[in-house]
Amino acid sequence: MFWECLCLFFVTLLFSVLLLRPLIALLQKRRLGQCILEIGPAWHKPKEGTPTMGGSVFLLTVPLFAIVGTVLLTGALSPTLLFVLLFALANGFIGLLDDATKFKNHKNQGLLPWQKLFLQSLFVGAFFYFLLCFGEKSYSVFLPYVRFYIPWGLPLLFVFFIASLGILNSANLSDGVDGLTASSALVIGLFFIWEGAIYREGALTALGISLCGTMLGFLFFNHHPAKIFMGDTGSLFLGALTVGAAFLTNNPAVLPIYTFLFLIEGGSVILQVLVFKRTGKRLFRMAPLHHHLEKCGFSENKIVLIFSFITLLSCLFAHFALL
């Protein structure tokens, strides 16, 4: 089993690198580069023109090798895994449409916020419907650590619905520093592998391996200074994947624990807006949080290391919550 997992990881890694290299050349040739907002960080202006939409590779590698790995490890295909992958792909296509609109308009403004939110809400609702009606297992929801059982019903579904939308968009907001979102997703992928091995959930293990292989391959080109960005295509795909994968764990209530980094990134934006509207003053020098740290003098590599460590700690807390 170990050697099969190792082979799957290296094949995913190699496949990711082999796809990204020609993609970078193609995007450069067609001048499909990142536009930097005028109101954005001035120090990011030199990044303008860097190829983006590298997350389109995720849409190929993660589903392909997650399915292959699941069949290899379990001998069968998990319906829940298929729903998770379809959910991630659907949100990846929202990001793809958003990125394509930016290229068409030659601006860092793609789909309107309400358009993205409408499509996301539609896909989140469809995901929960198919998962609960056609999934292969009934899901137990216990409050982490206290192990208090919460029955499924409309109130709980509403909480998961709002949490899913929040994490989706927070993952999108976190993609503002070279390697930040990819490194955090890599750590979360390791968490999936570990939990899948403990609970003998082959689909979760395969998903974690395919995610780690893809993220490591992407980081070869996305580490500072980045040669390519994932774009909304990648960040929305990863956000949906981390949301959906919670239903392959022993308890989906751990979702906000291992995605804690995404939540504090999104929360920093909400707090910034609320405090500014009430007091006229800024809580952070710039939101999201990673831009605040940049303004405080932190290098991009240092921010990535700190945030990866935070993600590692949150995954450890999620692990103990599952015991």
Side-chain angles (χ1 to χ4, degrees):
M1 189 71 71
F2 171 77
W3 293 110
E4 286 90 340
C5 291
L6 196 62
C7 286
L8 180 66
F9 169 76
F10 280 112
V11 170
T12 309
L13 171 61
L14 181 62
F15 198 77
S16 177
V17 171
L18 290 176
L19 284 176
L20 281 163
R21 194 176 294 277
L23 178 62
I24 293 172
L26 177 64
L27 292 171
Q28 287 174 333
K29 183 179 179 181
R30 297 193 176 183
R31 298 182 180 180
L32 299 177
Q34 180 72 34
C35 295
I36 304 297
L37 281 171
E38 292 299 326
I39 60 171
W43 59 91
H44 282 193
K45 203 64 179 174
K47 297 183 179 186
E48 193 158 49
T50 302
T52 187
M53 214 162 65
S56 55
V57 169
F58 306 169
L59 276 63
L60 295 172
T61 55
V62 175
L64 172 63
F65 291 106
I67 291 171
V68 170
T70 302
V71 174
L72 186 67
L73 296 177
T74 67
L77 193 56
S78 164
T80 300
L81 176 66
L82 285 178
F83 296 145
V84 171
L85 293 175
L86 287 172
F87 176 54
L89 284 170
N91 282 277
F93 281 117
I94 295 175
L96 193 65
L97 182 60
D98 189 46
D99 288 333
T101 306
K102 291 175 185 177
F103 293 144
K104 182 180 178 182
N105 297 334
H106 301 288
K107 294 180 181 179
N108 196 7
Q109 176 65 56
L111 297 176
L112 297 175
W114 73 265
Q115 292 173 322
K116 284 204 285 190
L117 190 61
F118 172 76
L119 290 172
Q120 289 168 352
S121 300
L122 187 66
F123 291 139
V124 170
F127 172 65
F128 284 131
Y129 173 77
F130 284 104
L131 191 71
L132 296 175
C133 292
F134 305 106
E136 79 268 30
K137 58 183 179 181
S138 57
Y139 302 95
S140 299
V141 179
F142 296 89
L143 288 179
Y145 304 110
V146 297
R147 309 299 290 174
F148 178 76
Y149 175 74
I150 304 175
W152 277 105
L154 287 178
L156 186 60
L157 276 173
F158 178 75
V159 170
F160 269 98
F161 182 86
I162 297 300
S164 299
L165 288 176
I167 292 166
L168 261 172
N169 289 288
S170 296
N172 191 20
L173 288 170
S174 73
D175 184 34
V177 168
D178 295 350
L180 179 57
T181 304
S183 60
S184 300
L186 175 62
V187 176
I188 292 173
L190 292 171
F191 167 69
F192 292 159
I193 295 171
W194 180 254
E195 297 305 322
I198 290 175
Y199 294 104
R200 298 184 181 278
E201 183 61 63
L204 185 60
T205 301
L207 182 63
I209 292 170
S210 63
L211 179 59
C212 285
T214 300
M215 290 303 100
L216 191 57
F218 183 69
L219 282 168
F220 285 159
F221 305 100
N222 185 240
H223 71 276
H224 184 70
K227 298 179 180 66
I228 190 170
F229 300 136
M230 67 174 66
D232 285 5
T233 307
S235 59
L236 289 178
F237 174 85
L238 292 176
L241 193 74
T242 53
V243 167
F247 291 88
L248 289 168
T249 66
N250 200 36
N251 181 10
V254 297
L255 173 62
I257 302 178
Y258 68 77
T259 58
F260 178 69
L261 176 67
F262 296 153
L263 291 175
I264 61 174
E265 284 275 80
S268 68
V269 175
I270 295 172
L271 285 173
Q272 181 85 321
V273 172
L274 291 177
V275 170
F276 185 77
K277 283 186 174 181
R278 180 170 289 270
T279 67
K281 297 180 180 179
R282 300 182 189 277
L283 180 63
F284 303 102
R285 293 188 179 183
M286 184 177 284
L289 184 60
H290 57 261
H291 287 328
H292 171 77
L293 294 178
E294 283 186 287
K295 281 216 163 188
C296 290
F298 286 73
S299 68
E300 293 195 40
N301 287 334
K302 190 172 184 179
I303 293 170
V304 169
L305 285 173
I306 292 170
F307 281 27
S308 296
F309 183 67
I310 292 172
T311 304
L312 178 61
L313 286 179
S314 66
C315 287
L316 286 173
F317 277 105
H319 165 69
F320 289 118
L322 287 170
L323 293 178

